[in-house]
Amino acid sequence: MTALFAVCAVVLVVSALAVVTSRHPVHSVVALIVNFAALAVLFLTLSAEFLAMMQIIIYAGAILVLFLFVIALLTVGSDPVERTENKLPEQAGQAVIAGLVALGLIGWGIQADWAPSAARPPADLGSIGTFGVQLLTTHVFAFEATAFVLLVAIVGVVMMAGRKEIKR
Amino acid sequence: MPAIPLTDYLALSAAMFVIGVIGFLVRRNPLTMLMSIELMWNAGNLVFAAFARSFGDMAGQIFVFIVITVAAAEAAIALAIVVMVFRRRVDVDVDDISVLRG
Amino acid sequence: MDAFVATWAPAILFLPLAGCLAISFVGPRLPRSASAVLGCASVFLAFVLTALVAAHVWHLAPYDQSIDVALGTWAHIGALNIGFGLWIDPLSLVWMLVITGVGFLIHLYSVGYMGHDKNYRTFFAHMNLFVFAMLLLVMSDNFVWLLVGWGGVGLASYLLIGFYFDRVTAVLAARKALIMNVIGDVGIMIAIFLMFQHVRDVSFAGVFARTGAFGTSALDWIGIWLLVGAVAKSAQLPLHTWLPDAMEGPTPVSALIHAATMVTAGVYLVARCHPIYDHAPLAAQSVAVVGAASALFAATIGCVQYDIKRVLAYSTMSQIGYMIMAVGMGAYTAGAFHFLTHAFFKALLFMAAGIVIHNLGGEQDIRKMGGLVKTMPFAFWTFAIGTVAIAGVPPFSGFFSKDAIIDKAAALGHPWLFAAAVAAAGLTAFYMFRLLFVAFFGAYRGDAAVHVERVATMEIPVAILAALAVVGGWLVLPGDDVFGNLLGGAFSDVLHAQSLAEFNWTLALGTLMIVAAGILSAYLLYVLAPQMRENAKARLHGLRELLLHAYYLDDVYHVLFEAPAYAIAGACARFFEPDAIAGLPRGLSAAAGSFGALSRAWETGYLRRYGLTIAIGAALALYFAFTTLHAGGAQAH
């Protein structure tokens, strides 16, 4: 188990770095797919089987494909490399500092004795059955609210991007 | 199998989150920025799932599910906006959008 | 509590107020005469009710004659309990009868006198307001509401003096009156504070029952602060300069407010607070001295003034001085009696003078009058009656009341006060007869056409007052002190005997001789031998100037108070206001602007910059979250 975790961890971090540093957006998307795959494996180690499947199907399968389509739409015919002059050159340094500070804080915060309240989690934790029951009874409000969010998103996208041309 | 201690998952997610933050702030391509945001979300997801297993409570996993759904909705809208804003431009650079200046 | 009084007394108080409100809100939609009817009717009804209540009260036994009609609590804040109620006893009844009775007569007179004025309705509204405020003053059962009434009459006085508001002199006079009155208000307020400090009570019943708890020194201070109020309201030395200027108001106003009622508020105050003054010898002494000094002071000035209303104003100040002196000595009944007779003959004098002024088209300078005996006989005869009354010639009313005071001064052992009173009596006779002779006798010296108008509503009240000026004194006859008996119920527990029944014939004759001397000198100088007058004028030129300018006190006050106040105000307007006060908002707006310019630098419009800001904010939030979590947290670090 530990070996599996270590491998997944390395893949996760490396692919994340690849996403952030790739020049070509398509390379970033591919790296992100790898990242999601590693994350799905990690979900499996956390006995969240349903979530792992969802991660692959929805995230990697739907969202990233959407990304690819948009990349294709936007950068057709041009070299999609950031070639224009950087208007905020100092941003990079500041961002790194901010990020490291955040990392330090989070790191300091998570150093505690997290005694797990359940030494042995229930066997069916994360199974589809449990998930379904919980989603439709205890957390049914969140479930319905999410449905509403999706509706709003659909309406919004159709309104915005469905227009033919922006009149000048 | 011996359980992986919780702290490891937390540290891992912290690293992924910070990478996402720096990526968002440094890159100028809007699509890459959006992908950095996805990284940040997934870092959060990992934390939720880890705690769900640690406390034996399903609520964490339910929330991951919700986060994924909302992320999907958000990605759709954000991409629609990006398409609308950058449709006619040659170079896709977020720094060109400074109409709110002042 | 007496049911009859309890029912009708509030009506007396609120009828004039109802009249004022009716005229103010409904009057403009009704014809002019409706306002006059409303104004006169409300006061007349109040008078009728007062007469009924008075008759009722005077049939009760003397110890039952002080009735406290409590109408509720006004404010209850911790230890401070201010009620609202009415105190009906013979003292307040005398004042109420005069206010409503003489007030009604003057209202009637105003119907004719103010008939051509464009602010007719406003006049009656203001007059009703005054009657209400004055009634509130004399009917309250606690000091706070007395002070409210006190301020109310000050307000009414301001409104009515400045009635001809397009005249600068009138407006300035109104302002002067108000400012001096306010000085008095402060004095009374301080007295109230002292009272509360010692006995935690501001009602008459509470304070008067516990005079023993104060200690003489505290009582003296309270008495002196109340005196400050009385001096300001009653135009005594040194806060008197507003009264002559107050003659800018219409003549009915001068008659009602500045002769018969408002200026006597100080007398009422001292008489009402007799439990305080009886036990505060220093304060009482000060009151008496102020009164005597004012009486003499004003009498000297009256001898040279040539505006008919100014002479009457100074004579009012002088007669009030008599009353103040009387109540200061402890002769409360004598002071109240002189108040009664003075109300009659002073209002009479003002109203008769008003007829003359009205017929001469507004002329008030006696040097431009003369020869009016034949042309205005009614005015002449009524004015003459008033003059004889005020001079103190028997059997007219002034004689009995002035003599009562002079008697008491001698009986209670105040030689200087006695001398001042007698001297003032002589001077009063002199200058009042001078006024009569110069204004009415001889040939007509004026330029204005004499247009004699005989208006019934003006003449009837004057005639009534003339009759009262003749017979009013007969309430106190030698051996039969009806007035003293009537007031006995209010002064049951006083230091000195109040009865006016004993008559000192020697003193009376002596005073009469001095009065006769005054009348004869006036006759000599102004009718028989004008040449003597011219010689005297030339020889005593300096003295004459001094008296003409009222001992230059107005100028002294101007230098001491007015000029510095104007200077400070000017300096503030020129320097302090534009820079310090106006500069503050300007500075604030400039600061806001520069802060905005500073913060605008952050709004670059770049998305990534916004993202950085969010990241920094998140880092800070994390920091705080973790510190507080760890501070109160249960996890071991």
Side-chain angles (χ1 to χ4, degrees):
Chain A
M1 182 64 135
T2 326
L4 181 64
F5 177 78
V7 166
C8 283
V10 167
V11 170
L12 202 74
V13 172
V14 167
S15 58
L17 283 169
V19 168
V20 163
T21 53
S22 298
R23 305 223 103 235
H24 203 302
V26 177
H27 298 163
S28 298
V29 172
V30 171
L32 199 54
I33 291 174
V34 172
N35 191 61
F36 287 165
L39 196 58
V41 174
L42 281 175
F43 279 153
L44 280 175
T45 65
L46 288 172
S47 44
E49 301 100 29
F50 181 64
L51 279 181
M53 288 301 110
M54 284 298 109
Q55 177 83 2
I56 301 287
I57 295 171
I58 298 173
Y59 245 122
I63 295 174
L64 291 184
V65 170
L66 180 61
F67 266 98
L68 282 172
F69 271 110
V70 172
I71 293 168
L73 187 68
L74 279 187
T75 58
V76 64
S78 65
D79 192 3
V81 169
E82 285 163 333
R83 262 185 301 161
T84 54
E85 186 196 318
N86 191 352
K87 293 200 183 95
L88 293 172
E90 69 281 357
Q91 178 89 336
Q94 291 168 349
V96 169
I97 291 170
L100 288 176
V101 165
L103 183 65
L105 284 173
I106 298 172
W108 174 54
I110 61 182
Q111 277 175 49
D113 198 8
W114 298 97
S117 54
R120 254 214 118 63
D124 60 346
L125 184 79
S127 70
I128 294 180
T130 336
F131 209 95
V133 167
Q134 287 286 313
L135 197 60
L136 290 171
T137 51
T138 323
H139 305 285
V140 65
F141 179 71
F143 178 61
E144 300 294 340
T146 326
F148 190 68
V149 168
L150 285 171
L151 175 68
V152 168
I154 292 170
V155 171
V157 168
V158 164
M159 277 199 65
M160 276 198 294
R163 262 181 256 195
K164 285 279 197 283
E165 267 295 317
I166 303 169
K167 298 262 193 310
R168 295 257 171 223
Chain B
M1 300 190 260
I4 316 275
L6 182 63
T7 337
D8 294 0
Y9 283 103
L10 297 184
L12 184 58
S13 114
M16 202 161 109
F17 183 80
V18 169
I19 293 172
V21 167
I22 296 177
F24 176 77
L25 294 176
V26 172
R27 296 303 301 265
R28 282 183 288 142
N29 188 325
L31 295 160
T32 319
M33 290 170 82
L34 281 169
M35 284 188 262
S36 314
I37 295 176
E38 299 289 336
L39 272 179
M40 288 193 258
W41 264 329
N42 280 293
N45 282 350
L46 185 58
V47 171
F48 274 116
F51 271 111
R53 208 283 297 272
S54 173
F55 293 148
D57 192 355
M58 276 299 287
Q61 296 194 359
I62 301 282
F63 203 74
V64 172
F65 179 74
I66 291 171
V67 170
I68 293 176
T69 318
V70 173
E74 186 270 355
I77 297 178
L79 287 169
I81 293 175
V82 166
V83 163
M84 290 196 68
V85 170
F86 291 101
R87 201 195 290 235
R88 296 179 135 271
R89 289 172 204 268
V90 177
D91 285 315
V92 189
D93 185 345
V94 121
D95 286 345
D96 290 338
I97 318 296
S98 59
V99 178
L100 282 179
R101 181 187 208 96
Chain C
M1 191 186 307
D2 191 294
F4 185 79
V5 173
T7 329
W8 296 113
I12 300 173
L13 176 65
F14 288 110
L15 268 168
L17 178 66
C20 169
L21 291 172
I23 298 174
S24 308
F25 291 112
V26 181
R29 299 198 214 121
L30 299 171
R32 267 169 125 242
S33 49
S35 306
V37 167
L38 278 170
C40 293
S42 58
V43 182
F44 181 68
L45 277 172
F47 172 67
V48 167
L49 286 174
T50 312
L52 288 172
V53 168
H56 178 90
V57 169
W58 272 316
H59 273 101
L60 300 172
Y63 50 83
D64 264 344
Q65 283 179 358
S66 294
I67 301 166
D68 192 352
V69 181
L71 290 174
T73 314
W74 173 249
H76 191 120
I77 310 159
L80 178 63
N81 196 341
I82 304 174
F84 182 71
L86 308 174
W87 183 282
I88 310 292
D89 72 351
L91 179 66
S92 53
L93 278 171
V94 168
W95 252 266
M96 283 156 68
L97 283 167
V98 169
I99 296 167
T100 49
V102 176
F104 166 66
L105 291 174
I106 295 177
H107 271 76
L108 197 57
Y109 176 84
S110 314
V111 174
Y113 190 86
M114 304 295 294
H116 301 303
D117 196 287
K118 60 178 168 18
N119 294 318
Y120 195 62
R121 295 185 186 98
T122 320
F123 183 80
F124 279 101
H126 288 332
M127 290 285 267
N128 267 24
L129 177 70
F130 167 78
V131 173
F132 165 69
M134 190 75 204
L135 281 173
L136 183 62
L137 199 162
V138 303
M139 285 168 81
S140 297
D141 72 345
N142 64 69
F143 283 97
V144 174
W145 280 99
L146 182 142
L147 185 61
V148 173
W150 196 271
V153 298
L155 171 69
S157 168
Y158 169 79
L159 290 170
L160 285 163
I161 296 174
F163 188 71
Y164 298 126
F165 53 79
D166 36 14
R167 281 219 294 253
V168 178
T169 41
V171 172
L172 288 175
R175 192 180 71 179
K176 186 177 187 177
L178 189 69
I179 291 176
M180 287 197 146
N181 267 281
V182 170
I183 298 174
D185 293 353
V186 172
I188 298 187
M189 253 189 270
I190 295 179
I192 296 180
F193 292 157
L194 285 172
M195 280 182 230
F196 183 72
Q197 182 191 38
H198 281 95
V199 297
R200 289 279 178 273
D201 206 334
V202 291
S203 65
F204 289 162
V207 173
F208 295 156
R210 298 188 209 132
T211 48
F214 283 93
T216 319
S217 152
L219 279 178
D220 272 331
W221 274 111
I222 292 177
I224 290 180
W225 282 114
L226 288 173
L227 175 64
V228 169
V231 160
K233 188 69 71 180
S234 298
Q236 300 294 283
L237 218 55
L239 295 171
H240 63 280
T241 51
W242 63 271
L243 190 61
D245 288 359
M247 298 297 117
E248 292 282 342
T251 309
V253 170
S254 309
L256 181 60
I257 299 185
H258 306 124
T261 42
M262 184 182 100
V263 289
T264 58
V267 182
Y268 170 79
L269 182 68
V270 177
R272 172 60 73 211
C273 295
H274 64 83
I276 294 178
Y277 284 101
D278 273 343
H279 298 104
L282 181 65
Q285 183 96 345
S286 319
V287 174
V289 167
V290 165
S294 308
L296 199 50
F297 178 86
T300 54
I301 298 178
C303 294
V304 304
Q305 299 292 327
Y306 45 78
D307 180 331
I308 192 172
K309 285 176 72 175
R310 271 190 183 237
V311 177
L312 292 175
Y314 281 110
S315 94
T316 304
M317 181 182 164
S318 181
Q319 299 304 308
I320 306 273
Y322 269 99
M323 297 178 220
I324 298 271
M325 183 178 83
V327 293
M329 289 190 302
Y332 305 107
T333 317
F337 185 45
H338 195 54
F339 156 71
L340 184 69
T341 57
H342 174 263
F344 296 150
F345 54 69
K346 192 45 65 63
L348 168 68
L349 283 166
F350 266 108
M351 282 152 77
I355 294 180
V356 171
I357 296 169
H358 188 79
N359 289 339
L360 288 180
E363 183 60 67
Q364 292 179 216
D365 191 334
I366 54 176
R367 298 173 298 191
K368 300 212 176 79
M369 296 182 193
L372 300 175
V373 179
K374 291 283 189 323
T375 35
M376 300 186 216
F378 180 80
F380 169 67
W381 284 108
T382 46
F383 197 88
I385 292 175
T387 312
V388 174
I390 194 176
V393 175
F396 289 74
S397 53
F399 167 71
F400 295 99
S401 58
K402 243 194 245 199
D403 242 62
I405 296 178
I406 293 175
D407 242 2
K408 286 286 179 194
L412 294 171
H414 301 284
W416 286 105
L417 297 179
F418 171 77
V422 172
L427 283 170
T428 306
F430 173 74
Y431 71 71
M432 284 310 296
F433 270 90
R434 162 184 178 265
L435 190 64
L436 183 72
F437 294 146
V438 173
F440 288 91
F441 286 30
Y444 182 58
R445 299 179 292 278
D447 340 294
V450 179
H451 171 80
V452 177
E453 213 186 316
R454 302 212 52 171
V455 184
T457 50
M458 279 167 70
E459 297 195 346
I460 295 175
V462 177
I464 296 179
L465 281 172
L468 285 171
V470 176
V471 308
W474 297 348
L475 281 171
V476 173
L477 290 172
D480 183 15
D481 182 12
V482 175
F483 190 75
N485 290 338
L486 286 177
L487 247 61
F491 297 113
S492 45
D493 180 25
V494 285
L495 216 52
H496 306 292
Q498 298 294 307
S499 170
L500 306 171
E502 295 140 17
F503 202 78
N504 191 326
W505 286 104
T506 343
L507 272 180
L509 277 169
T511 317
L512 259 179
M513 291 200 320
I514 300 200
V515 165
I519 300 177
L520 284 170
S521 347
Y523 190 67
L524 190 67
L525 286 176
Y526 289 94
V527 181
L528 281 185
Q531 192 53 40
M532 273 185 72
R533 194 176 88 238
E534 295 301 322
N535 292 344
K537 251 168 60 167
R539 291 239 302 273
L540 298 170
H541 183 75
L543 179 64
R544 185 164 185 277
E545 282 299 306
L546 182 70
L547 292 179
L548 205 54
H549 290 105
Y551 295 85
Y552 293 104
L553 262 184
D554 260 325
D555 305 296
V556 168
Y557 284 160
H558 180 83
V559 167
L560 276 179
F561 301 113
E562 271 188 84
Y566 278 124
I568 294 175
C572 281
R574 263 199 309 281
F575 305 117
F576 193 57
E577 164 80 20
D579 298 332
I581 309 270
L584 191 64
R586 238 188 295 123
L588 278 176
S589 66
S594 41
F595 186 70
L598 208 68
S599 359
R600 242 183 287 127
W602 198 250
E603 301 293 317
T604 54
Y606 293 129
L607 185 67
R608 297 195 291 145
R609 179 65 88 206
Y610 297 157
L612 180 63
T613 319
I614 295 174
I616 295 173
L620 280 171
L622 274 172
Y623 171 72
F624 282 116
F626 280 134
T627 41
T628 45
L629 262 179
H630 275 267
Q635 288 107 9
H637 192 55

